[in-house]
Amino acid sequence: ISRAGGPVGQGSPAIGAAGLVPAAPGAGGTEGSGAAGGSARIAVKKAQLRSSPRPKKLEKLGVYSSCKAEGACKCNGWKSQNPPPTPPRTDQQSNAVNLQEPCRSCSHTLGDHVTHLENVSEEEMNRLLGIVLDVEYLYTCVHKEEDADTKQVYFSLFKLLRKSILQMGKPMLEASESPPFEKPSIEQGVNNFVQYKFSHLPSKERQTIMELAKMFLNQINYWQLETPSQRRQRVPNDDAVGYKSNYTRWLCYCNVPQFCDSLPRYETTQIFGRTLLRSVFTVMRKQLLEQARQEKDKLPPEKRTLILTHFPKFLSMLEEEVYSHSSPIWSQDFLAAASGGQIPMHTVISAPPVPRPLYYSTSPVSLDPSICGSVSPARKTASVLEPNTNTVGEKRKPSDPLPHEENKRPRVVGDIPMDLINEVMATITDPAAIPETSLLSAHSARDEAARLEERRGVIEFHVIGNSLNQKPNKRILMWLVGLQNVFSHQLPRMPKEYITRLVFDPKHKTLSLIKDGRVIGGICFRMFPSQGFTEIVFCAVTSNEQVKGYGTHLMNHLKEYHIKHEILNFLTYADEYAIGYFKKQGFSKDIKVPKAKYVGYIKDYEGATLMGCELNPSIPYTEFSVIIKKQKEIIKKLIERKQAQIRKVYPGLSCFKEGVRQIPIESIPGIRETGWKPAGKGKELKDPDQLYSTLKTILQHVKSHQNAWPFMEPVKKTEAPGYYQVIRFPMDLKTMSERLKSRYYTTRKLFMADMQRIFTNCREYNPPESEYYKCANLLEKFFYTKIKEAGLIEK
């Protein structure tokens, strides 16, 4: 077991299937195949345990469960009366244990330790078993680890997971700050670097630079940091406190979760910024280049020039920007201020989600951000150097799409090529400078002024709370007092003592809005992770700072904070003055959280209205109005281009002078070029309930078809790596069912377009000889048969 949470190859560096893998002891390095093997072994153990009989699962969980016998027993774990003389190996099956066997600690039976699990679903039991194996793994790490700082982190995570089993909750890391820890991130900084230095290059050369950048980001994501004690010996004058803080965060959020996948995992390049990059860059650059020189004969010929010639130059130029005090790439306003527009405004580079070799060739098409999130290390065992071949029944590998295939792929009618969109985006100025029009709802840009003030540093947002365990922070205490004052002034009907009690209660947190060093607003809330919701208790902005968009921007920040913590529901009791505000923020009286989940947990206010809000994890709420505005501007530009193409004057129609009384519309010269199409032949149901009933019946028939099985749920990234790089607009039958239930399908065309999207996506991603491709064809034929039977299109 290595100091960084898993088995890491410590032998001589070698370039093999896993690429450049420097692992010099004590100097940091990249995780080798041993790391992937370690996480794979844990995954295999979890799979074996989850497939065990239920009594075996209860036995395993009983060891870590508190006693539920009558009489308020305080035993926190069942222990066998007859333990083996030597502890059994963790990979060996232990002897069956009778549920009537007594506990060595409290004398109650094993059955008394697992009574609370009798009615627990298999899914929940398997989740708890996964945490149990992570606890056992961390226990081993704690005992084998020699570094004191690392051992302390392992022990803290061990206690956290142990507590999660006892309370049957989700492991939630409690820290004063949550990811990301620095903005811009390393990933964004490297993106900015590529645009800053190379945006003038032709597309082919720029593609090479982007490939180098992806290689570099991938190396950082799998780099082993030095322990703080090792770093102190190597760099005595460095900021030891800052490095130790980042090292602890890296262990908790990036490294250990690769092996203990019950913990949330983040990519290093996405949550750390320039500070961490500076601490590893020099050593990392030296090791990578040294190893490349030593192993150059093992590199594929087509990648030798890239790594031995271009990569050193790339690193040298990047090093200047990393250590320069005046480099613009580390400014959060870089993209808004950048000119040239040769590279699209959206992210051009994201680190690959799996450990790839340094010489791996990636597509120049921008990666979907959803692919670059946290991925369990247990799912990172597939080879990344498989040849680009497709056999029957297999899905395309992520390396299949070739650089200039975008225009060759079949597209759903109505799709706009990405090349055209990128070309249009390059002509758009800063979205903040785009004028507002009547086409855009005023609600969308309510937070625009606040967002600009935040970008300029005029206002700040901090999630703060009181603590009874840590030394009080004077600044935080002052902010809490300020929040108490704001809430008391703006909510005069609330008793001041009650407000004070909740604001300073350690179980409550407050998202505070800071301007010129003082509190001007905030949202006090309490999270219930085990119940899947958060209660909003107070929400206010001081009176002289209202009508500036602060309230909307506050709520948007709160939504993003909860998405990061995987809580997707808000509940609040709103008085008659607050109902309007909450409606504008997406709240409604239609509560999505089951009543059993919140009754007895939230505070009930007389005369107030219970409102709820369900969050969509795909929406970046703080940038939502910018995205809407940019989309509107793109559509406007596309319309202008189309108008320029069809701006042609045709001679007038002379047929009517000759006595013709009527002609088909489609025969008018130029009418089709404008985009006009004949009205669809079929019955458009006007009654919403009749349309809903008809579409529901058709969807049920489709879902019951024998060839519908590949399309029942969204494609999982683990089953089809790279799918979301190829398919821009995924669709599945489960999503269609949810859309139908929410009355999204107001016309038959919307319904048919989504269903057609399923079939088109399948044929685009899979080879014609695959089983999935054949299922799509057969199901499509069946679907159109049902549509015709319902009279929605002409037979």
Side-chain angles (χ1 to χ4, degrees):
I1 306 298
S2 83
R3 58 174 170 76
V8 178
Q10 292 291 329
S12 59
I15 297 181
L20 287 175
V21 188
T30 305
E31 295 175 30
S33 56
S39 60
R41 285 192 294 274
I42 296 171
V44 170
K45 288 181 182 178
K46 288 184 178 181
Q48 290 173 344
L49 187 56
R50 286 166 177 161
S51 63
S52 302
R54 195 172 178 91
K56 180 70 178 174
K57 295 179 180 180
L58 290 173
E59 171 198 333
K60 192 76 173 176
L61 288 169
V63 176
Y64 295 92
S65 300
S66 56
C67 184
K68 301 297 186 294
E70 295 182 4
C73 179
K74 296 182 179 180
C75 176
N76 271 338
W78 181 88
K79 299 177 181 64
S80 173
Q81 288 276 23
N82 302 301
T86 56
R89 284 172 47 187
T90 56
D91 58 350
Q92 290 179 340
Q93 297 292 328
S94 57
N95 296 327
V97 176
N98 193 313
L99 290 176
Q100 301 304 316
E101 187 173 330
C103 174
R104 196 174 63 200
S105 299
C106 65
S107 300
H108 293 121
T109 64
L110 170 61
D112 289 325
H113 284 258
V114 295
T115 52
H116 63 297
L117 299 172
E118 289 177 358
N119 297 320
V120 168
S121 66
E122 283 297 310
E123 183 182 358
E124 175 63 8
M125 187 169 284
N126 288 339
R127 184 185 73 83
L128 293 172
L129 287 168
I131 302 178
V132 164
L133 284 182
D134 288 345
V135 164
E136 293 178 348
Y137 183 77
L138 281 171
Y139 180 82
T140 307
C141 293
V142 168
H143 284 273
K144 293 193 175 184
E145 182 56 55
E146 296 178 358
D147 178 73
D149 296 320
T150 311
K151 184 189 286 280
Q152 185 179 359
V153 175
Y154 287 162
F155 187 62
S156 298
L157 294 175
F158 168 82
K159 289 195 295 183
L160 171 68
L161 294 182
R162 185 84 169 79
K163 183 179 177 182
S164 298
I165 300 171
L166 288 171
Q167 298 179 350
M168 295 180 65
K170 286 187 177 181
M172 299 286 288
L173 291 166
E174 295 182 4
S176 57
E177 291 185 65
S178 58
F181 301 112
E182 189 176 0
K183 290 184 179 180
S185 65
I186 295 173
E187 181 180 292
Q188 186 59 56
V190 174
N191 270 301
N192 294 347
F193 168 70
V194 171
Q195 180 162 336
Y196 179 51
K197 292 288 188 181
F198 307 105
S199 61
H200 63 284
L201 295 178
S203 60
K204 188 173 182 181
E205 284 82 352
R206 195 165 69 247
Q207 178 188 333
T208 301
I209 297 299
M210 290 163 68
E211 187 175 348
L212 291 170
K214 287 180 183 179
M215 293 177 187
F216 176 73
L217 290 173
N218 189 45
Q219 293 299 311
I220 296 175
N221 281 333
Y222 295 93
W223 193 260
Q224 292 293 114
L225 298 189
E226 302 169 286
T227 64
S229 57
Q230 289 171 329
R231 185 168 179 80
R232 279 195 299 272
Q233 293 175 3
R234 190 175 64 82
V235 191
N237 300 323
D238 192 37
D239 176 16
V241 176
Y243 182 80
K244 183 177 178 180
S245 174
N246 275 337
Y247 177 76
T248 302
R249 292 166 173 170
W250 172 77
L251 278 177
C252 292
Y253 291 99
C254 305
N255 184 262
V256 174
Q258 290 186 46
F259 308 94
C260 302
D261 60 3
S262 54
L263 292 167
R265 178 173 181 257
Y266 298 82
E267 298 289 2
T268 305
T269 54
Q270 293 177 348
I271 65 172
F272 292 101
R274 186 183 195 178
T275 304
L276 183 76
L277 184 58
R278 280 180 166 180
S279 65
V280 302
F281 190 91
T282 305
V283 173
M284 180 177 170
R285 175 176 176 271
K286 181 180 178 182
Q287 286 193 26
L288 288 176
L289 296 182
E290 179 62 30
Q291 188 181 356
R293 285 190 292 269
Q294 291 177 359
E295 308 291 337
K296 61 183 179 182
D297 294 335
K298 298 180 182 179
L299 291 171
E302 67 275 12
K303 298 299 175 187
R304 199 167 294 166
T305 303
L306 184 71
I307 291 178
L308 297 179
T309 304
H310 299 308
F311 198 47
K313 293 178 182 178
F314 175 86
L315 292 178
S316 296
M317 294 177 70
L318 180 58
E319 186 173 27
E320 290 180 17
E321 303 303 321
V322 169
Y323 292 102
S324 169
H325 294 291
S326 58
S327 173
I329 71 170
W330 302 105
S331 166
Q332 292 195 48
D333 298 328
F334 175 82
L335 280 181
S339 60
Q342 298 258 358
I343 296 180
M345 294 288 284
H346 59 279
T347 301
V348 293
I349 299 164
S350 285
V354 296
R356 300 190 186 279
L358 188 61
Y359 47 83
Y360 180 78
S361 176
T362 51
S363 164
V365 180
S366 298
L367 301 184
D368 187 312
S370 64
I371 301 298
C372 305
S374 62
V375 180
S376 156
R379 298 171 182 169
K380 296 181 179 180
T381 55
S383 169
V384 292
L385 287 180
E386 296 176 14
N388 294 340
T389 57
N390 289 312
T391 56
V392 177
E394 289 184 341
K395 295 199 174 185
R396 187 182 303 168
K397 304 296 183 291
S399 54
D400 279 0
L402 297 173
H404 301 288
E405 272 190 346
E406 181 70 33
N407 295 326
K408 297 179 183 178
R409 296 182 186 145
R411 293 188 292 109
V412 175
V413 175
D415 280 1
I416 301 170
M418 275 304 294
D419 288 347
L420 178 57
I421 292 177
N422 290 340
E423 188 179 336
V424 169
M425 287 181 67
T427 67
I428 295 177
T429 57
D430 179 5
I434 299 173
E436 197 70 59
T437 71
S438 59
L439 291 176
L440 186 63
S441 164
H443 294 174
S444 298
R446 187 184 294 109
D447 64 332
E448 187 170 301
R451 188 176 54 253
L452 292 174
E453 285 191 14
E454 183 186 15
R455 187 182 295 177
R456 294 197 300 265
V458 177
I459 58 175
E460 300 175 2
F461 295 87
H462 299 277
V463 175
I464 61 174
N466 195 16
S467 174
L468 302 180
N469 302 323
Q470 299 176 356
K471 185 178 179 181
N473 182 300
K474 184 178 178 180
R475 185 177 65 165
I476 290 178
L477 289 177
M478 291 295 291
W479 283 348
L480 288 173
V481 171
L483 286 162
Q484 187 264 351
N485 287 334
V486 171
F487 293 145
S488 298
H489 281 93
Q490 301 303 128
L491 307 170
R493 291 194 291 179
M494 281 285 175
K496 288 187 178 181
E497 296 80 4
Y498 178 69
I499 292 174
T500 305
R501 191 175 79 213
L502 294 190
V503 169
F504 283 89
D505 174 24
K507 294 178 182 177
H508 287 70
K509 295 180 181 179
T510 305
L511 174 62
S512 55
L513 170 57
I514 312 297
K515 186 173 184 179
D516 298 328
R518 63 184 181 88
V519 174
I520 64 168
I523 300 177
C524 181
F525 60 94
R526 180 173 178 182
M527 302 168 77
F528 295 95
S530 62
Q531 305 304 110
F533 75 91
T534 280
E535 178 191 11
I536 294 177
V537 186
F538 307 124
C539 175
V541 174
T542 189
S543 54
N544 62 334
E545 296 287 357
Q546 291 179 4
V547 201
K548 296 181 180 180
Y550 292 154
T552 296
H553 206 43
L554 257 174
M555 186 61 72
N556 286 339
H557 269 289
L558 188 69
K559 289 175 180 177
E560 292 202 344
Y561 176 83
H562 279 78
I563 288 172
K564 289 177 184 176
H565 289 79
E566 299 181 347
I567 296 178
L568 302 180
N569 282 284
F570 287 161
L571 291 178
T572 189
Y573 272 98
D575 61 26
E576 65 269 30
Y577 303 108
I579 289 176
Y581 164 78
F582 281 110
K583 278 186 176 179
K584 292 173 183 177
Q585 307 309 320
F587 285 71
S588 75
K589 298 175 186 178
D590 180 19
I591 309 300
K592 302 295 184 183
V593 181
K595 194 170 183 179
K597 287 279 189 181
Y598 64 82
V599 170
Y601 284 86
I602 65 174
K603 294 169 277 295
D604 198 350
Y605 295 94
E606 187 177 344
T609 303
L610 181 63
M611 302 185 75
C613 178
E614 188 175 22
L615 307 184
N616 186 331
S618 301
I619 296 177
Y621 285 95
T622 56
E623 298 296 325
F624 187 59
S625 60
V626 174
I627 293 170
I628 294 294
K629 193 176 290 188
K630 185 182 286 188
Q631 288 177 346
K632 188 205 72 169
E633 190 68 13
I634 290 171
I635 292 171
K636 181 181 173 185
K637 295 277 187 183
L638 290 170
I639 292 172
E640 290 174 357
R641 283 177 175 240
K642 185 70 174 176
Q643 288 174 337
Q645 291 171 5
I646 63 174
R647 194 165 289 147
K648 181 179 178 182
V649 179
Y650 290 86
L653 297 173
S654 59
C655 56
F656 298 110
K657 292 181 180 179
E658 299 166 3
V660 177
R661 303 277 307 193
Q662 183 178 340
I663 63 171
I665 294 177
E666 56 266 28
S667 67
I668 300 173
I671 190 73
R672 287 188 181 274
E673 286 81 349
T674 66
W676 178 89
K677 295 176 183 175
K681 295 183 179 180
K683 181 175 64 176
E684 186 66 78
L685 301 177
K686 301 295 183 183
D687 181 11
D689 292 331
Q690 187 183 357
L691 176 65
Y692 173 81
S693 177
T694 303
L695 297 183
K696 184 179 179 181
T697 302
I698 293 171
L699 187 57
Q700 286 174 341
H701 281 303
V702 171
K703 291 169 71 174
S704 303
H705 194 269
Q706 61 182 1
N707 291 303
W709 61 269
F711 316 111
M712 295 300 288
E713 293 187 345
V715 174
K716 295 178 182 176
K717 301 170 195 172
T718 52
E719 294 177 356
Y723 180 84
Y724 293 97
Q725 298 174 34
V726 178
I727 301 302
R728 289 161 53 203
F729 306 107
M731 184 50 60
D732 60 275
L733 295 174
K734 182 181 179 182
T735 302
M736 288 191 66
S737 298
E738 292 169 353
R739 287 187 168 188
L740 180 65
K741 188 176 179 182
S742 65
R743 303 291 177 125
Y744 167 82
Y745 297 117
T746 54
T747 67
R748 62 184 171 89
K749 289 183 179 179
L750 282 172
F751 181 79
M752 292 172 66
D754 273 357
M755 188 67 76
Q756 186 60 52
R757 175 77 64 185
I758 293 176
F759 307 136
T760 308
N761 286 348
C762 179
R763 288 192 285 260
E764 183 174 352
Y765 185 76
N766 298 288
E769 66 274 13
S770 70
E771 189 176 356
Y772 304 105
Y773 198 106
K774 295 171 184 175
C775 284
N777 287 343
L778 293 171
L779 190 62
E780 182 181 31
K781 186 176 180 180
F782 175 78
F783 168 68
Y784 279 103
T785 300
K786 290 296 175 185
I787 284 285
K788 290 174 183 177
E789 289 177 2
L792 295 183
I793 60 174
E794 203 172 63
K795 293 184 180 180

